Amino acid sequence: MRLSLPILFAVLTKVNAFNVISFNSRYTTRIAVEPYVVEIASDEKVETLVTYDELERLSIELAKAARIILISDGEKNAKELDGKDENRVGISLKTGVRTALVLQHRDDNKYNLEVLTSELEHASMRTLRRLTGNREYESGDLKTELDKIVKSTITAYSGDSGDLLKELNKRVEARVGGLSGKDVNDVKEEIEDQYQNWMKDFLGADYKFFKGDDKFQALRYGKGAHDLVNARSLKN
């Protein structure tokens, strides 16, 4: 006659077999995986997720154009670069202007183009000073050029309405209907997939400069101002 493992264990250790079986059952119960509970995304929840996605896209539109201006400015003014650096220009610009957009959105949607220009200028100067190794790096034209970029990008984004808030609400409303009523995690994944596909289409060859993974792909710089921009081939 073969003994079950719990009973055999009890015989060898002189422990009550029923207690062993009971302990085994309790242990099994404790490690059981809890069932997944579906959370249906409300219209309000979807609207919030889509709004932040639209702000993310707008920040990339602004950063893409600003990046070209920044690189051009560096090429014109930098005489020598201090060693090599991995350029996170795209990520830095996007992060800065996105923060400004989100704060303005939370402040009753009071969008201020001067604030966006200021944020882009701050991020640009910080990056240029790092790349050139010159903490005193200055540019007389950069702010003016960035101001033009902000105004033209926002104008193009706003379309016929000519109003950033109206256009933002219009875009959000158009996307909400197709996402409401689904599991919230499915909605988040779908929005992320849409965002990644949009990025690839919009950025084209510049996608690698805005890709948010652990390996920030970027331009590598050697010494000499000409090395600052082997970027001309990347301009659209």
Side-chain angles (χ1 to χ4, degrees):
M1 179 181 66
R2 299 180 62 182
L3 298 176
S4 66
L5 288 177
I7 294 176
L8 179 59
F9 174 78
V11 170
L12 294 176
T13 59
K14 298 181 181 181
V15 174
N16 189 314
F18 294 103
N19 288 339
V20 174
I21 295 172
S22 176
F23 168 80
N24 186 58
S25 299
R26 291 197 303 273
Y27 180 74
T28 302
T29 301
R30 284 202 301 272
I31 65 173
V33 178
E34 295 183 2
Y36 174 72
V37 178
V38 175
E39 178 187 352
I40 301 300
S42 64
D43 288 350
E44 182 179 1
K45 178 68 173 180
V46 174
E47 183 178 328
T48 299
L49 293 172
V50 173
T51 297
Y52 283 113
D53 180 66
E54 285 292 336
L55 293 177
E56 185 83 8
R57 297 187 189 199
L58 179 55
S59 70
I60 286 182
E61 291 190 34
L62 288 163
K64 179 186 178 183
R67 177 179 170 275
I68 295 174
I69 297 299
L70 182 154
I71 290 175
S72 177
D73 193 87
E75 180 188 34
K76 180 175 64 177
N77 295 313
K79 296 181 180 179
E80 185 171 288
L81 296 171
D82 185 16
K84 293 185 178 181
D85 194 2
E86 286 211 1
N87 176 13
R88 297 186 181 183
V89 173
I91 295 291
S92 296
L93 293 175
K94 185 198 77 168
T95 301
V97 75
R98 178 187 59 193
T99 299
L101 282 168
V102 169
L103 290 176
Q104 291 180 21
H105 165 68
R106 292 175 178 174
D107 186 23
D108 296 327
N109 291 302
K110 296 177 181 177
Y111 298 102
N112 187 314
L113 302 191
E114 290 183 5
V115 172
L116 297 181
T117 299
S118 178
E119 186 55 51
L120 279 174
E121 181 191 18
H122 176 70
S124 296
M125 292 303 297
R126 182 175 64 244
T127 302
L128 283 167
R129 286 168 180 167
R130 187 187 76 234
L131 295 179
T132 61
N134 178 9
R135 294 185 180 183
E136 305 301 324
Y137 182 96
E138 295 293 343
S139 172
D141 302 328
L142 185 61
K143 184 173 183 178
T144 300
E145 293 301 318
L146 290 175
D147 185 59
K148 293 177 183 177
I149 287 296
V150 169
K151 289 178 179 177
S152 62
T153 302
I154 295 300
T155 298
Y157 181 92
S158 301
D160 296 336
S161 68
D163 185 288
L164 175 57
L165 178 57
K166 287 182 179 179
E167 181 62 26
L168 179 63
N169 290 337
K170 177 183 174 182
R171 296 189 183 204
V172 170
E173 185 178 351
R175 295 175 60 189
V176 167
L179 296 170
S180 295
K182 298 181 180 180
D183 175 32
V184 68
N185 288 315
D186 291 339
V187 171
K188 291 178 181 178
E189 289 182 8
E190 191 168 339
I191 290 175
E192 178 62 21
D193 288 342
Q194 292 173 357
Y195 170 68
Q196 291 297 331
N197 290 332
W198 175 86
M199 273 187 68
K200 292 175 182 177
D201 291 339
F202 177 75
L203 292 170
D206 286 343
Y207 175 73
K208 58 182 172 291
F209 297 107
F210 291 85
K211 186 179 178 183
D213 57 18
D214 294 334
K215 281 186 172 183
F216 286 95
Q217 299 189 44
L219 304 177
R220 285 188 174 275
Y221 301 106
K223 289 189 176 182
H226 63 283
D227 289 330
L228 181 60
V229 204
N230 287 322
R232 291 173 175 171
S233 61
L234 295 175
K235 294 180 182 179
N236 292 340

